[in-house]
Amino acid sequence: LVAMSYADKRSRPNFIFFIAGMGMCFLSAYINTFFARYYGADIIQATVEIAPAVEETMKLLPLIFYLLVFEPKRGEARSAILFVAAGFATFENACYLIENGSSRLLFLLMRGFGAGDMHIVCGAVLGYGLLYVWKRPWLKTAGTFGLLCIAITFHAIYNLLLSVGGAVQAIGLLMPVCTVFAGIV
């Protein structure tokens, strides 16, 4: 917030979207815990079944609000999409580091890049997909739901692979990194 007060006016919205992403991550933790307790889910069920649906839906909310209220140009919306996802990933990784310590530094670095890239990929699918489907009124609702399902599925596969351990865990950590690299190419 202090940095945002010193930033020029053109970059302030990026700070707001980054903070919105962090806020959505914070709220997601409480909502995940509520649903995990309500359904009596163990840690694997909560990680693979509940967290992806809650987190991707929460990441979608600031984007939908931004698109509905401000009706931004395509270029303005692109940065919002990425900053919400980056804020979410940053807060989640900070919480993970605080919770688990830094005894396995290599794993934490790999997880940081993997989870960060996974949230960026899911955010890009949601955000850029919304920019496409919202141009077609007949596709708004079904398209938004379909994009959300794609993001939830990618997130769930990532979490499932990470929960297994061993070589499968390494594949899970590399999956979003390779997806981002393929998207750049």
Side-chain angles (χ1 to χ4, degrees), residues 74 128-140:
R74 195 171 181 87
Y128 293 141
L130 284 178
L131 293 178
Y132 177 78
V133 300
W134 279 36
K135 288 190 289 184
R136 292 148 184 83
W138 55 273
L139 195 55
K140 272 187 183 180

Side-chain angles (χ1 to χ4, degrees), residues 159-171:
N159 285 357
L160 181 63
L161 294 174
L162 255 60
S163 69
V164 173
V168 174
Q169 187 179 54
I171 291 169

Side-chain angles (χ1 to χ4, degrees), residues 15-141:
F15 281 101
I16 292 169
F17 292 119
F18 191 83
I19 292 167
M22 293 177 83
M24 291 297 107
C25 183
F26 182 73
L27 290 173
S28 293
Y30 285 103
I31 296 170
N32 285 337
T33 303
F34 169 77
F35 282 121
R37 290 224 172 115
Y38 182 79
Y39 290 112
D42 63 13
I43 190 71
I44 299 297
Q45 287 174 318
T47 303
V48 176
E49 297 172 11
I50 297 171
V54 170
E55 290 179 9
E56 296 309 322
T57 303
M58 294 299 286
K59 250 191 305 190
L60 179 64
L61 295 178
L63 298 175
I64 288 180
F65 176 80
Y66 182 56
L67 291 173
L68 285 173
V69 173
F70 296 102
E71 298 178 356
K73 296 176 186 168
R74 195 171 181 87
E76 295 170 347
R78 286 185 178 151
S79 64
I81 292 161
L82 296 177
F83 276 98
V84 168
F88 195 102
T90 301
F91 194 77
E92 184 180 83
N93 281 330
C95 291
Y96 189 84
L97 179 62
I98 290 168
E99 184 179 333
N100 295 302
S102 61
S103 61
R104 296 173 33 199
L105 184 61
L106 180 61
F107 174 74
L108 287 173
L109 287 173
M110 290 174 57
R111 191 207 178 275
F113 280 107
D117 286 350
M118 183 271 303
H119 282 293
I120 296 294
V121 167
C122 292
V125 165
L126 286 170
Y128 293 141
L130 284 178
L131 293 178
Y132 177 78
V133 300
W134 279 36
K135 288 190 289 184
R136 292 148 184 83
W138 55 273
L139 195 55
K140 272 187 183 180
T141 304

